Each structure stands twice: as structure tokens, then as C-alpha cells.
């Protein structure tokens, strides 16, 4: 079973969000990294870019598959995890920790409420037939 | 409802992540694609390939029939020898690529899983007028591929047969782990290895014995994901990607399995014409310069003009870069030719290289 930490929020496109005041850290979920398997390249979001929920902000390439990274929340990209350029596999080994992808300044912190909590995401994974 | 191979329970037990493939529940991966790929290149891994189609062809005209049906020369086979060949439509398009073994009282044919039904229907249709019998053995016979440089060491613990004397694409009937079976030095990885064919009821026993015998060598099950990257690094064509009804063996680089000097066979004249007039496109190997990963259907470009399309593309675990196969207009197929591939992340530079991509394989 994929790991779904209690304290995070989740999107239907399998990104996670960790809210820290007016900022948020985002990444892809354990389920998503497992589906992609061996990630070998990450095109990171552009620092300074204003993004809206659902925007394609990066690309994740695994050996056999390629997936867009969608922003789970609106805001401005403050920082990206440049370590992923050299070690993209970190997303596989530690998707919620060292495998974080970007830090955003939130446009509207209340937007987080629209995302799924851990219980809802677990339910989503179960009902989506994964 | 997908079918299950005789190894289904063992594969689940081993942690296989199952997907639907060619009408079967098959493992796409176990420990991880790159780890599995590396294991086969460096030691030994086991592939359940029981989803492939297995067919016996027998009767007094079995040889005549097969030699008419396929492009390679079946009459060249010694006893227990294997032959890789294409089977074509009269148009020259490929029905399938397959292996034919010569056994004492019949020929044994192994075809792609996704084509099994279509192939057998095609074979039966072409068999009209020949004194032959075509028997489906897909369910009755299980098939495992044990691949990697340490394969001979592992199998030596289970059989008294001297497998090191068996040549590439040769086989023998022997007892292995107490079960009578046919064993051949064949595979789809570029590494040394054997394929085992035995009655399906012994599946669990053989699986267990194999993993027990190979524990020391680090034997592990391998999924479809690594099967694909291993074959692609060797430029082995995959039906449905690199070859199909719309492609012919000449442009696919399979001229070596088309024997014009033998008696008449399906598509002979069409293929001879293609060969003489030179194909307008050819399947080439492309190695990416930089960080992109080509994927099937990506467009190949030269000087801003489309000159071809990727048929298979992946990140190569051995070369640590993107590699692809694709059909390219003949004037751009010389090795060293620089082309661009339009990937999802933009255009990436690639160069035409000679096969195989991976040159250190233990058996090429």
C-alpha cells in the first residue's frame, strides 16, 4: 500500500502539498512515484513563475514513462529542489522528504482546503481502482 | 478477463506488480526496473514468458509448409537448432517474428503473445493443401527464460547435461530438476542464457528449484519493463512497435532472415523488389546527445523537415541516456548522421549509431 502521510494535502493528479504558513512545499505522492517507477530525469518548475492550480509546471521522466507535473495549488515558485537534477531517483526513495520538488508562495492559503486530506486521498486511491 | 500463466501465484508471491498484457496478467516489475535490468546484465534473472504462443507443426510436409510460410530457411536447421524468422503477408508486411525449433518428430514454433491467435489462424489458412497438423501447445507447455552471464552456473546445479557444450541457438532434451524438458540457448536480452520448455503442471516445482539453485548468484524474477529495456539496448525488434503489418523485413533491418535463394515463400517477389530497389526508409538506432528521452511516435527531424518517427524509445539503464529505434528516410540512415527528435520536452539532438546500443553483452 502506498504511503499517505496524515499531515499533507493531495491533488487528484497525485501531487502532495505541505502548507507552512503562507508557503507550500509540493512533490509527487508515493503512489505516483511507484506507478512511474525509476525516475531518471526531472524538468523542474521555473523559479519566479506565477502558477495556477492545474498548470503543467514540469515534467517527470521515468525509464518507461513520462508524466507532467501539475501544480496542485496557485502561487509563485520561490525555490526548486535542484538536487533532483543530479539525483532524480530521490523522488522514488523519499517522495515526501528529500524528493520534494518546489516551494511556492501561496496566492490564497485557503485554497488548500479544496485539496483532499489523507483520508480522502486514500479513499480516492482505493476507488480509482488502483 | 485476463488469463494467468502457470507461474501467476509464484509471481504474486515474489511481489510482481501486475498489469494486463496481451490478454494475460503479467508482472511489469518486481524490485525496480533498473535493478532488474542490471541484474540480468551482471548476474542472472528469470522471465516468465509463458504468455508467448507455442505451436507444434507436424506431418509429412511440415518442412515444406514452414519454408513456404516464413522468410528464413527452415531446411537449414540441424536437430534441436532454433531459427529466428519473419512471417509475412503477401504484401511483404510482417505477420509476426518468431522462433522455429527443429525437434525429432515436429517443428516447435514460438510466437508473440499478442499475435498468438492471429498467427495460428494465419498458419491454418496457409496450411491448406499441405499435409500438416498445427497443434496449439500454449497452455500445455510452460516457458521460462533464464538470462544473464551466470545462467550456466545456476542451471548446472539442476541438470547433469553439459549445458556449456550447447551452442547459441541450439538446444537439447534433458532432465532438469527431475523434469524432462527442452532447453535452448536462446533469449531476448543479449546475455547468455537459456529458455526452458516443460509441461505446465511442473511450473511451481521448477520455479522453486530454480530460485533455490540460483540464490547464491542472486537470481531474481524480472518484469516486462526490464525485458523491454534489455531488448531495446540490443536493437531486437518488438512486434507492434518496430515491426508490424505496415513494415517489411528489409526496411526493418531483418534482411538476414530473408533467404531468397530457397524455394518460393510468401512475399518473396515483393521483398526481392524492395531489396533491389532499396527501401525508402530504414529502422535505425538513435542515441540521444544530452538529456532527453525519446518515446514512441516522437517525430524525427532533419533541417526542420520530418524524416521519420520513433517506434521504441527509452532511457537506457546501461548507457544512462536516451535511446530509440525509428524509421528514417534512407538518406539519413548512415551512422554518424545527426538528427533531432521532437520529444514532449522539446527537440533533442540524436545521432544514428550502429547496433547494438549496448556492446558489452555476454551474447550478442
Amino acid at each position: 500500500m502506498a504511503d499517505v502521510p496524515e499531515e499533507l494535502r493531495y491533488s487528484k493528479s497525485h501531487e502532495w502539498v505541505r502548507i507552512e504558513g503562507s508557503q507550500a512545499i509540493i512533490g509527487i505522492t508515493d503512489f505516483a512515484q511507484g506507478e512511474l517507477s525509476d525516475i531518471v530525469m526531472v524538468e523542474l518548475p521555473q523559479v519566479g513563475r506565477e502558477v495556477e492550480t492545474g498548470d503543467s509546471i514540469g515534467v517527470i521522466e521515468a525509464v518507461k514513462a513520462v508524466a507532467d507535473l501539475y501544480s496542485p495549488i496557485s502561487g509563485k515558485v520561490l525555490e526548486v529542489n535542484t538536487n533532483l537534477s543530479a539525483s532524480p531517483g530521490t523522488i522514488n526513495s523519499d517522495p515526501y522528504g528529500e524528493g520534494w520538488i518546489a516551494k511556492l508562495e501561496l496566492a490564497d492559503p485557503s485554497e488548500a482546503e479544496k485539496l483532499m486530506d489523507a483520508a480522502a486521498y486514500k479513499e480516492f486511491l482505493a476507488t480509482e481502482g488502483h | 478477463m485476463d488469463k494467468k500463466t502457470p507461474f501467476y501465484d509464484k509471481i504474486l508471491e515474489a511481489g510482481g506488480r501486475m498489469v494486463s498484457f496481451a490478454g494475460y496478467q503479467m508482472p511489469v516489475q518486481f524490485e525496480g526496473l533498473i535493478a532488474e535490468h542490471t541484474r540480468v546484465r551482471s548476474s542472472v534473472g528469470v522471465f516468465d514468458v509463458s504468455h508467448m504462443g507455442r505451436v507444434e507443426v507436424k506431418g509429412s510436409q511440415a518442412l515444406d509448409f514452414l519454408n513456404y510460410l516464413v522468410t528464413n530457411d527452415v531446411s537449414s536447421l540441424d536437430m534441436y537448432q532454433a531459427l529466428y524468422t519473419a512471417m509475412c503477408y503477401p504484401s511483404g508486411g510482417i505477420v509476426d517474428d518468431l522462433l522455429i525449433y527443429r525437434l525429432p518428430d515436429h517443428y516447435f514454433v514460438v510466437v508473440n503473445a499478442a499475435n498468438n491467435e492471429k498467427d495460428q489462424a494465419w498458419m491454418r489458412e496457409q496450411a491448406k493443401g499441405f499435409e500438416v497438423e498445427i497443434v496449439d501447445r500454449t497452455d500445455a507447455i510452460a516457458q521460462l527464460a533464464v538470462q544473464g552471464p551466470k545462467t550456466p552456473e545456476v542451471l548446472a546445479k539442476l541438470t547433469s547435461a553439459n549445458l556449456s557444450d550447447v551452442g547459441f541457438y541450439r538446444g537439447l532434451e534433458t532432465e532438469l530438476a527431475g523434469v524432462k524438458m527442452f532447453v535452448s540457448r536462446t533469449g531476448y536480452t543479449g546475455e547468455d542464457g537459456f529458455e526452458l520448455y516443460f509441461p505446465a503442471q511442473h511450473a511451481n516445482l521448477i520455479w522453486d528449484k530454480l530460485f533455490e539453485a540460483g540464490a547464491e548468484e542472486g537470481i531474481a524474477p524480472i518484469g516486462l519493463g526490464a525485458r523491454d529495456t534489455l531488448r531495446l539496448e540490443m536493437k531486437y525488434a518488438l512486434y507492434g512497435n518496430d515491426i508490424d503489418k505496415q513494415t517489411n523485413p528489409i526496411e526493418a533491418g531483418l534482411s538476414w532472415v530473408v533467404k531468397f535463394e530457397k524455394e518460393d515463400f510468401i512475399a518473396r517477389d515483393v521483398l526481392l523488389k524492395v531489396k533491389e530497389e532499396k527501401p525508402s526508409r530504414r529502422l535505425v538506432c538513435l542515441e540521444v546527445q544530452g538529456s532527453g528521452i525519446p518515446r514512441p511516435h516522437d517525430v524525427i527531424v532533419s533541417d526542420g523537415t520530418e524524416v521519420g518517427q520513433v517506434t521504441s524509445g527509452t532511457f537506457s539503464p546501461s548507457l544512462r541516456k536516451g535511446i530509440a529505434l525509428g524509421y528514417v528516410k534512407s538518406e539519413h540512415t548512415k551512422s554518424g548522421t545527426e538528427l533531432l527528435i521532437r520529444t514532449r520536452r522539446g527537440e533533442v539532438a540524436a545521432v544514428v549509431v550502429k547496433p547494438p546500443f549496448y556492446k558489452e553483452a555476454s551474447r550478442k
Side-chain angles (χ1 to χ4, degrees):
Chain A
M1 226 6 234
D3 185 23
V4 180
E6 284 304 319
E7 69 278 15
L8 305 180
R9 292 276 172 165
Y10 300 90
S11 71
K12 285 184 176 169
S13 45
H14 306 287
E15 287 89 14
W16 56 262
V17 179
R18 174 179 283 121
I19 304 289
E20 293 177 342
S22 65
Q23 299 183 347
I25 310 278
I26 65 168
I28 66 166
T29 66
D30 185 36
F31 170 79
Q33 72 76 19
E35 286 291 296
L36 283 168
S37 175
D38 303 78
I39 293 166
V40 291
M41 245 167 245
V42 182
E43 188 182 286
L44 293 162
Q46 248 181 326
V47 174
R49 181 175 161 191
E50 306 267 359
V51 302
E52 301 211 10
T53 306
D55 282 357
S56 170
I57 56 169
V59 180
I60 298 177
E61 296 236 36
V63 177
K64 293 309 306 170
V66 53
D68 277 309
L69 171 71
Y70 297 104
S71 188
I73 197 157
S74 307
K76 186 178 176 183
V77 180
L78 292 179
E79 194 184 338
V80 293
N81 184 359
T82 49
N83 290 334
L84 295 178
S85 305
S87 320
T90 310
I91 296 178
N92 294 118
S93 55
D94 191 8
Y96 300 113
E98 295 295 314
W100 67 279
I101 295 173
K103 183 190 263 189
L104 306 183
E105 178 71 38
L106 294 174
D108 174 9
S110 74
E111 240 190 71
E113 301 301 319
K114 294 182 196 156
L115 292 163
M116 289 178 274
D117 62 13
Y121 183 60
K122 278 182 200 166
E123 177 71 25
F124 176 70
L125 289 181
T127 54
E128 289 289 289
H130 300 305
Chain B
M1 186 65 181
D2 280 340
K3 291 173 76 174
K4 293 169 181 173
T5 77
F7 302 100
Y8 180 80
D9 292 336
K10 289 289 174 192
I11 284 168
L12 278 192
E13 217 175 278
R17 204 172 90 205
M18 308 306 275
V19 295
S20 181
F21 180 82
Y24 283 84
Q25 279 292 302
M26 297 296 292
V28 63
Q29 71 169 60
F30 293 85
E31 59 187 307
L33 198 159
I34 293 177
E36 291 164 37
H37 181 109
T38 307
R39 192 178 291 281
V40 173
R41 288 268 178 258
S42 61
S43 58
V44 54
V46 179
F47 303 76
D48 173 16
V49 278
S50 303
H51 62 311
M52 298 189 77
R54 287 165 294 278
V55 186
E56 275 178 21
V57 178
K58 50 184 147 192
S60 62
Q61 289 188 296
L63 175 58
D64 292 342
F65 165 63
L66 287 170
N67 240 3
Y68 165 71
L69 184 73
V70 304
T71 58
N72 207 338
D73 187 3
V74 184
S75 72
S76 70
L77 283 177
D78 292 332
M79 192 60 72
Y80 299 115
Q81 193 180 3
L83 184 78
Y84 175 71
T85 183
M87 172 163 80
C88 287
Y89 292 105
S91 65
I94 301 172
V95 183
D96 203 0
D97 63 333
L98 42 134
L99 274 190
I100 299 177
Y101 292 96
R102 182 181 166 196
L103 300 183
D105 61 349
H106 65 274
Y107 288 90
F108 189 67
V109 180
V110 182
V111 304
N112 279 301
N115 294 337
N116 193 9
E117 227 171 278
K118 174 191 83 176
D119 286 359
Q120 291 199 39
W122 177 255
M123 288 166 76
R124 281 173 219 284
E125 204 181 307
Q126 304 311 312
K128 284 172 191 157
F130 287 95
E131 185 70 35
V132 289
E133 197 187 340
I134 295 165
V135 187
D136 180 16
R137 302 283 280 158
T138 305
D139 293 338
I141 299 177
Q143 183 180 349
L144 289 178
V146 189
Q147 301 281 298
K150 290 187 178 160
T151 305
E153 286 167 63
V154 174
L155 296 185
K157 298 175 194 175
L158 297 170
T159 181
S160 56
N162 193 352
L163 294 179
S164 53
D165 285 351
V166 179
F168 189 45
Y169 264 57
R170 305 263 170 176
L172 80 175
E173 286 182 273
T174 182
E175 229 174 67
L176 193 142
V179 173
K180 265 197 80 174
M181 63 176 71
F182 176 65
V183 174
S184 69
R185 204 162 203 164
T186 48
Y188 195 46
T189 62
E191 299 301 330
D192 196 4
F194 287 83
E195 289 184 283
L196 319 179
Y197 300 90
F198 51 91
Q201 68 261 31
H202 300 301
N204 287 343
L205 171 83
I206 297 297
W207 182 275
D208 288 343
K209 292 281 184 192
L210 208 47
F211 282 86
E212 209 178 288
E216 210 181 315
E217 287 78 12
I219 202 167
I222 311 295
L224 293 175
R227 182 168 162 81
D228 190 57
T229 53
L230 287 159
R231 71 93 193 165
L232 192 41
E233 285 186 344
M234 301 310 298
K235 203 213 172 191
Y236 295 155
L238 173 63
Y239 194 92
N241 280 42
D242 314 307
I243 52 174
D244 60 24
K245 196 177 180 171
Q246 313 300 332
T247 62
N248 66 61
I250 311 295
E251 62 190 11
L254 297 175
S255 293
W256 63 281
V257 304
V258 183
K259 299 290 160 64
F260 293 108
E261 60 276 22
K262 70 169 183 172
E263 64 268 45
D264 193 30
F265 59 94
I266 298 172
R268 181 185 187 277
D269 295 348
V270 175
L271 295 177
L272 190 57
K273 194 159 171 258
V274 173
K275 194 185 174 181
E276 282 169 351
E277 291 175 359
K278 303 258 166 69
S280 58
R281 58 174 191 174
R282 285 181 189 277
L283 190 67
V284 295
C285 293
L286 293 162
E287 206 171 279
V288 168
Q289 314 293 291
S291 75
I293 304 175
R295 307 289 181 185
H297 311 301
D298 285 352
V299 168
I300 303 167
V301 183
S302 174
D303 284 332
T305 313
E306 178 173 343
V307 295
Q309 214 179 72
V310 171
T311 52
S312 288
T314 190
F315 175 80
S316 159
S318 303
L319 278 66
R320 311 294 305 172
K321 62 169 100 167
I323 59 171
L325 299 183
Y327 284 95
V328 169
K329 285 188 181 158
S330 295
E331 57 267 38
H332 304 284
T333 55
K334 220 177 139 224
S335 68
T337 303
E338 289 174 7
L339 298 167
L340 291 174
I341 302 175
R342 287 195 182 133
T343 73
R344 183 135 155 205
R345 294 169 56 214
E347 285 187 352
V348 299
V351 60
V352 176
V353 297
K354 289 196 176 117
F357 293 102
Y358 177 68
K359 302 195 192 304
E360 279 80 54
S362 50
R363 178 79 65 176
K364 291 161 189 138

